Amino acid sequence: VPQLRDHLKLQQSLALAGEVQAELLPQEPPDFPGLDLAGRNLSYEQIGGDYFDFIDLRPWGDERMAITVGDICGHGIAAAMLMATARAHVRSRAQPLPDLGTLLSEINRRLAADLGTEKFMTLGFYVFDPARHAVAWASAGQDAAFHYRSATGEIVEEAAKGVPLGVLDDWDYVARSRDDLASGDVFLLGTDGIWEARNAQKEEFGKERVRDLLRRHHDRGARELLDILLDAVEAFRGDLPRQDDVTLVVAKVV
């Protein structure tokens, strides 16, 4: 009986921690001129290590929207605590926003002290300026965003080199950018829980399925496209339990 009581207390604490963590993630995307936004996180356990955020820079006189997607190594309570720490570092340094390379370098130095040698975090940081048809980004080991280009119908992966945060505390990150965004362009920012999802035959969902779904449904709104992609991943898994946190953000230029 005492062991059962302790187990129930632990489950209650985990449930409460999951509720607190969920509150740290965006409940709804902001209303931002020129962008249609949607994002969702599905945790592998009651609490997880994935992170995403929308940071509206307009209160600081900057007419841009920052979007981040990240993944802490591991799962559970430790990963959740580190996610909260990383969120605090990101938000404290992003307002107002410096050069993205400088931003990630500073966050990396701070997290390196927090994470120790056993943990690391991947992070992609994207800043959209719809009025100037521009986007800038920097990456710390995060998978590249899928970019559907409405002008050509092609899908490119907008990558940037950079080691995960916490691995090398003196790494200098470099930002990339492009200024040819057009109405109908779509960006998918996700974590590897999407393309590494497996079915009963141990086959991975894979990035090619992501590209195919984006190609076929690029004309949908951001929330509808997000639902289509996540529903496809869940259907692919079937009855198998989720093996990793899943996070997806959709940003569509309108």
Side-chain angles (χ1 to χ4, degrees):
V1 172
Q3 289 178 336
L4 178 59
R5 186 182 297 115
D6 290 342
H7 177 73
L8 291 174
K9 286 182 179 179
L10 176 60
Q11 291 303 310
Q12 291 170 351
S13 296
L14 288 173
L16 178 59
E19 293 175 9
V20 172
Q21 185 184 40
E23 291 297 323
L24 294 178
L25 299 175
Q27 304 304 302
E28 291 290 338
D31 184 10
F32 195 89
L35 289 176
D36 182 15
L37 302 170
R40 189 176 305 156
N41 165 257
L42 303 173
S43 292
Y44 159 59
E45 297 176 331
Q46 287 173 291
I47 49 179
D50 274 10
Y51 162 65
F52 80 97
D53 209 350
F54 299 109
I55 305 175
D56 189 342
L57 300 173
R58 287 177 293 181
W60 291 268
D62 189 336
E63 298 298 317
R64 297 181 295 172
M65 168 60 65
I67 301 175
T68 63
V69 172
D71 187 358
I72 294 282
C73 172
H75 308 283
I77 295 174
M81 292 177 65
L82 292 172
M83 185 279 279
T85 300
R87 176 185 182 274
H89 286 317
V90 169
R91 281 191 159 256
S92 67
R93 287 297 300 122
Q95 303 165 337
L97 186 69
D99 169 77
L100 290 187
T102 301
L103 173 69
L104 284 192
S105 296
E106 292 183 0
I107 294 173
N108 178 53
R109 284 192 289 272
R110 296 185 182 189
L111 279 181
D114 295 334
L115 298 181
T117 58
E118 300 297 324
K119 294 286 186 179
F120 61 86
M121 176 185 187
T122 61
L123 182 71
F125 204 111
Y126 293 75
V127 181
F128 290 87
D129 188 343
R132 293 182 171 83
H133 313 288
V135 60
W137 68 93
S139 175
Q142 181 67 25
D143 284 286
F146 296 94
H147 176 193
Y148 174 81
R149 302 191 65 197
S150 61
T152 62
E154 65 177 331
I155 296 175
V156 297
E157 294 189 36
E158 303 293 13
K161 292 183 179 180
V163 301
L165 301 173
V167 175
L168 298 171
D169 61 6
D170 59 349
W171 186 271
D172 290 323
Y173 295 87
V174 179
R176 296 186 58 193
S177 64
R178 61 187 312 154
D179 58 4
D180 58 352
L181 298 186
S183 178
D185 278 20
V186 181
F187 281 74
L188 300 183
L189 288 64
T191 56
D192 56 14
I194 298 172
W195 36 89
E196 292 182 3
R198 293 178 179 270
N199 60 16
Q201 291 72 43
K202 297 184 178 181
E203 177 188 10
E204 287 191 348
F205 188 78
K207 291 187 175 182
E208 192 52 44
R209 284 187 174 87
V210 176
R211 294 188 191 94
D212 181 60
L213 287 166
L214 175 56
R215 189 176 293 111
R216 288 192 286 123
H217 301 289
H218 65 87
D219 57 335
R220 307 294 184 95
R223 187 180 294 274
E224 187 178 4
L225 179 55
L226 182 141
D227 288 339
I228 289 171
L229 284 159
L230 294 184
D231 287 348
V233 174
E234 295 297 296
F236 180 81
R237 281 195 306 103
D239 294 331
L240 292 181
R242 195 177 296 124
Q243 295 299 311
D244 197 0
D245 301 322
V246 170
T247 298
L248 179 64
V249 173
V250 178
K252 184 172 185 177
V253 182
V254 295

